Amino acid sequence: MPVSSTHYLFLSLLLFSIGIMGTLTRRNAVIIFMCIELMLNAVNLLLVAFSRMYADVNAQLFVFFIMVVAAAEVAVGLAIIVMMYRKVQSVDINILNRLKH
Amino acid sequence: MDFYSILFWVLSVLAVGCALGVILSRNPVHSVLCLILTFFAISGHYILMNAQFLAIVNIIVYAGAIMVLFLFVIMLMNLNADVEPQKGHLIQLAGVVSGGILFLVILTAVKDVKNQSMEMPTTPIGLIENLGKELFHKYTLPFEISSVLFLSAMIGAVIIGKKDPAAAHAEN
């Protein structure tokens, strides 16, 4: 069976779902952050597949901008996690529910 | 099966297996290493789809810069499998079921889309020359704005990450 666009659709859907499952099941803030990166990459993969399907440059430039935003996001997010670790000596997100009270 | 299909399946199995390793591994360092392997597999997919520039950028930016940052943070905090917090089994089951339901819903929504073969004659759109021309003609403004975003993210990370001056003074 030749590889078609549907294969890439299913592959990136699978990666995205794994990212969702990881975000919902883990309590370590760093791992949750990594699962978000995984979801961003699944979307990137699908955009590149569509770019190849329609021979369109714009999708690849969108992937480029997603990578730019992801890099900025990681820098700020990891700084926040480090700050949280300094305050409470843990990266457990259940401790963060103190923000509610 | 031709060469393209074999490569596709090998890379797909590698990507999905390592992605499962990210969420199943107890040790955060193993999770990071699995995620790096996933990114390499995705870069292989980019090369298969003739997007060489994005493949290289993916390796340099994600596997090279972002994941090293993650690794530094994990080593800085001295995280390992012993101190890893665990959710209750019921909540874990609920998370897996909700992820699976999302997968099934989108699967049924997209299963009837037009099926188009990816093995068309190679077009040079993924090469750096075409991407650069398009980027600096059509997307000049977003490109400049992203530089401002980077600057603000850098300043924000430094300000958030540095020690509280009052706390530092109290230590001395």
Side-chain angles (χ1 to χ4, degrees):
Chain A
M1 189 167 63
V3 175
S4 63
S5 55
T6 320
H7 286 86
Y8 281 104
L9 202 57
F10 289 168
L11 174 64
S12 45
L13 183 54
L14 199 57
L15 286 176
F16 191 86
S17 305
I18 291 174
I20 292 264
M21 287 178 199
T23 314
L24 291 176
T25 51
R26 297 302 292 263
R27 268 172 63 189
N28 187 333
V30 181
I31 308 259
I32 290 176
F33 212 33
M34 275 161 42
C35 289
I36 292 173
E37 293 300 311
L38 190 62
M39 289 194 274
L40 281 171
N41 262 277
V43 173
N44 280 352
L45 181 65
L46 192 58
L47 274 174
V48 174
F50 283 149
S51 148
R52 172 129 173 97
M53 192 170 148
Y54 292 107
D56 192 351
V57 178
N58 294 313
Q60 298 205 3
L61 287 170
F62 265 73
V63 172
F64 184 70
F65 283 116
I66 290 176
M67 282 180 186
V68 166
V69 173
E73 174 220 334
V74 165
V76 176
L78 282 178
I80 290 175
I81 290 177
V82 169
M83 187 189 69
M84 172 186 147
Y85 183 76
R86 275 210 203 112
K87 296 270 182 209
V88 297
Q89 301 299 314
S90 165
V91 287
D92 187 352
I93 53 157
N94 278 22
I95 293 179
L96 282 186
N97 66 6
R98 283 180 197 157
L99 283 174
K100 283 195 297 192
H101 308 303
Chain B
M1 272 177 103
D2 55 328
F3 189 58
Y4 189 100
S5 304
I6 294 171
L7 272 182
F8 173 84
W9 287 112
V10 169
L11 287 173
S12 302
V13 169
L14 186 66
V16 172
C18 291
L20 284 174
V22 173
I23 65 169
L24 294 179
S25 158
R26 290 269 168 270
N27 192 335
V29 177
H30 292 168
S31 289
V32 171
L33 295 178
C34 280
L35 195 57
I36 290 176
L37 271 180
T38 312
F39 288 161
F40 271 108
I42 289 176
S43 286
H45 276 299
Y46 290 166
I47 292 175
L48 271 188
M49 288 188 279
N50 212 16
Q52 288 97 334
F53 175 66
L54 283 180
I56 297 298
V57 166
N58 197 47
I59 288 179
I60 293 175
V61 172
Y62 270 109
I66 293 183
M67 297 326 288
V68 170
L69 208 58
F70 271 103
L71 216 51
F72 273 149
V73 168
I74 285 175
M75 288 175 177
L76 187 75
M77 295 174 181
N78 202 11
L79 299 178
N80 50 43
D82 305 329
V83 297
E84 174 74 11
Q86 293 297 323
K87 272 189 176 166
H89 287 298
L90 198 63
I91 297 180
Q92 283 189 344
L93 185 71
V96 171
V97 167
S98 359
I101 287 174
L102 178 86
F103 178 71
L104 285 180
V105 166
I106 306 183
L107 194 70
T108 45
V110 299
K111 74 178 186 339
D112 293 329
V113 292
K114 193 175 57 151
N115 198 357
Q116 191 172 332
S117 174
M118 303 296 287
E119 291 165 66
M120 52 181 69
T122 53
T123 46
I125 58 163
L127 301 183
I128 190 162
E129 186 187 350
N130 293 295
L131 284 177
K133 273 181 187 158
E134 192 80 3
L135 184 64
F136 290 113
H137 281 128
K138 212 168 151 190
Y139 291 95
T140 317
L141 186 63
F143 182 76
E144 298 295 339
I145 291 175
S146 68
S147 70
V148 177
L149 176 77
F150 258 130
L151 186 65
S152 53
M154 191 178 77
I155 295 173
V158 169
I159 289 185
I160 293 172
K162 79 174 183 187
K163 269 192 177 165
D164 193 6
H169 188 71
E171 276 176 21
N172 296 329

